[in-house]
Amino acid sequence: MEEGTSKSASYSEGTEDPYDACQWDVREGCEVRQILDRIADKWSLLVVALLASRRMRFTELLREVDGVSQRMLTVTLRQLERDGLVERTVYPVVPPRVEYELTSLGVTLHSAVQSLVVWTETHQVEIASARAAYDRAQQALESDHGRTDPAPGAGARRAR
Amino acid sequence: MEEGTSKSASYSEGTEDPYDACQWDVREGCEVRQILDRIADKWSLLVVALLASRRMRFTELLREVDGVSQRMLTVTLRQLERDGLVERTVYPVVPPRVEYELTSLGVTLHSAVQSLVVWTETHQVEIASARAAYDRAQQALESDHGRTDPAPGAGARRAR
DNA sequence: CAGTATCCTGAACGATACTG
DNA sequence: CAGTATCGTTCAGGATACTG
């Protein structure tokens, strides 16, 4: 097993003082970083979102997520299971049947993530046009890189 | 990861179409995925969080983020700038002075992310104990891998 | 069916050196 | 100061084959 996060990394848990919101970022060793990395993970969110609608079997997930490899699905599910976000149920039948479902913790994560999804959907147009503008500016720069300063704005100029 | 989004229900699997409102996840081409990837980025959030408190110069960020390389900071800032999340201001003075600040869009992103941070801080203890439990179960499995089935519970068993 | 074990590649990242 | 350019390495993750 070469993947995965460092298991058995015993970090000091317990009730540390709740550092204010402006501090979480600089603390690399902070748990937040780890969780964020899991959330950030390419497949985790997809799996969580799918499982939010219903419990599913391994192969179902493999089909639905589509793009995920068998190995990565396994790894992802194991991580989520380890973090207590999904629960794995094995039915001892002859063709093995395994089902995955969100735990209550997983459900809360899913709703927390939803706000980000909403943000993204809300602002995707803005972002797209910002990118277009940026790329246009870059293009202009390219064609202009021999010319002299055309807009003597005298102050600081934006977007180089 | 270039396409393969469409997963037409070509196989005979009943009548219900796979998913409804929760479509964002399966659409790889969707903007949501891209934004999520940016958010997921190792440094982006750190930079955004720092800039949320105040506008900063390049070297300041380099010092504050600490752990980031010069190259990665540049790359990160360029991406954020391109997405319209931060604004770059160049002062035409003799030792170059460049300042970065969040745009209003960047500010909204920051607050959206805060909810996730809060979630993480709220549940980090639960996660930590879930991990401990999982690891303990794995250990038990190891020591048990020669034994015969000791608990014929007849039903589905949890956590393999 | 639901995995595990191996091999391999490309993208990400860090380190370093150079520049306006 | 605030970058850009180049190189070397690591490693996440895909493809494939095997198994209980």
Side-chain angles (χ1 to χ4, degrees):
Chain A
M1 184 191 292
E2 67 281 6
E3 310 280 342
T5 50
S6 55
K7 50 170 61 178
S8 71
S10 41
Y11 23 75
S12 59
E13 61 170 74
T15 51
E16 310 169 15
D17 54 320
Y19 25 92
D20 52 334
C22 299
Q23 272 281 0
W24 66 270
D25 40 28
V26 283
R27 298 180 53 99
E28 309 257 335
C30 184
E31 310 266 347
V32 179
R33 194 62 238 168
Q34 288 182 50
I35 309 298
L36 245 19
D37 282 342
R38 176 102 329 124
I39 289 167
D41 176 307
K42 190 177 179 184
W43 305 114
S44 294
L45 283 184
L46 284 291
V47 171
V48 168
L50 250 359
L51 291 180
S53 60
R54 65 179 182 285
R55 66 206 316 262
M56 296 174 78
R57 301 178 57 171
F58 184 85
T59 315
E60 263 186 299
L61 284 168
L62 202 57
R63 244 186 295 106
E64 296 292 334
V65 177
D66 161 274
V68 72
S69 64
Q70 205 175 34
R71 199 181 73 95
M72 286 317 294
L73 181 56
T74 302
V75 170
T76 301
L77 286 169
R78 287 288 175 280
Q79 290 175 336
L80 293 173
E81 188 193 357
R82 190 172 109 99
D83 288 351
L85 297 166
V86 310
E87 179 158 327
R88 179 175 181 270
T89 310
V90 181
Y91 297 92
V93 293
V94 47
R97 180 185 184 89
V98 179
E99 289 189 347
Y100 293 90
E101 66 187 312
L102 285 193
T103 61
S104 54
L105 184 60
V107 172
T108 68
L109 170 60
H110 182 242
S111 38
V113 167
Q114 284 309 311
S115 66
L116 258 193
V117 174
V118 169
W119 181 90
T120 304
E121 287 171 344
T122 304
H123 298 287
Q124 58 182 331
V125 176
E126 288 178 71
I127 291 173
S129 57
R131 286 182 181 167
Y134 182 92
D135 293 345
R136 241 182 291 113
Q138 291 308 299
Q139 287 269 292
L141 250 227
E142 307 269 289
S143 1
D144 197 44
H145 67 70
R147 309 256 305 107
T148 50
D149 187 12
R157 303 215 307 289
R158 309 301 200 183
R160 73 129 141 216
Chain B
M1 61 184 66
E2 42 287 332
E3 16 114 29
T5 300
S6 62
K7 70 248 299 20
S8 52
S10 47
Y11 54 92
S12 56
E13 175 47 279
T15 52
E16 29 76 56
D17 53 358
Y19 12 68
D20 36 317
C22 294
Q23 266 271 128
W24 64 270
D25 40 26
V26 282
R27 298 178 52 96
E28 309 255 334
C30 183
E31 309 265 347
V32 178
R33 194 61 237 169
Q34 289 182 50
I35 308 298
L36 246 18
D37 282 342
R38 176 102 329 126
I39 290 166
D41 175 310
K42 190 176 178 184
W43 305 114
S44 294
L45 283 184
L46 284 290
V47 171
V48 168
L50 249 359
L51 291 180
S53 59
R54 65 179 183 287
R55 65 207 317 262
M56 295 174 79
R57 302 179 57 171
F58 184 85
T59 314
E60 262 186 300
L61 285 167
L62 202 56
R63 243 185 296 107
E64 296 291 332
V65 177
D66 161 273
V68 72
S69 64
Q70 203 175 35
R71 199 182 76 94
M72 287 316 294
L73 181 57
T74 302
V75 170
T76 300
L77 286 169
R78 288 288 174 278
Q79 290 174 337
L80 293 173
E81 188 192 357
R82 190 173 111 98
D83 288 350
L85 297 166
V86 311
E87 179 158 326
R88 179 174 181 269
T89 309
V90 181
Y91 297 92
V93 293
V94 46
R97 179 185 184 88
V98 179
E99 289 191 349
Y100 294 89
E101 66 188 312
L102 286 193
T103 61
S104 53
L105 185 60
V107 172
T108 68
L109 170 61
H110 182 242
S111 38
V113 166
Q114 283 310 311
S115 67
L116 259 193
V117 174
V118 169
W119 181 90
T120 304
E121 287 173 343
T122 304
H123 298 286
Q124 58 181 332
V125 175
E126 288 179 71
I127 291 174
S129 58
R131 286 183 181 167
Y134 182 92
D135 292 345
R136 241 182 291 113
Q138 291 308 299
Q139 288 268 292
L141 249 229
E142 308 268 290
S143 354
D144 197 43
H145 68 71
R147 310 258 305 108
T148 51
D149 187 12
R157 303 214 306 287
R158 308 301 201 183
R160 71 127 140 217

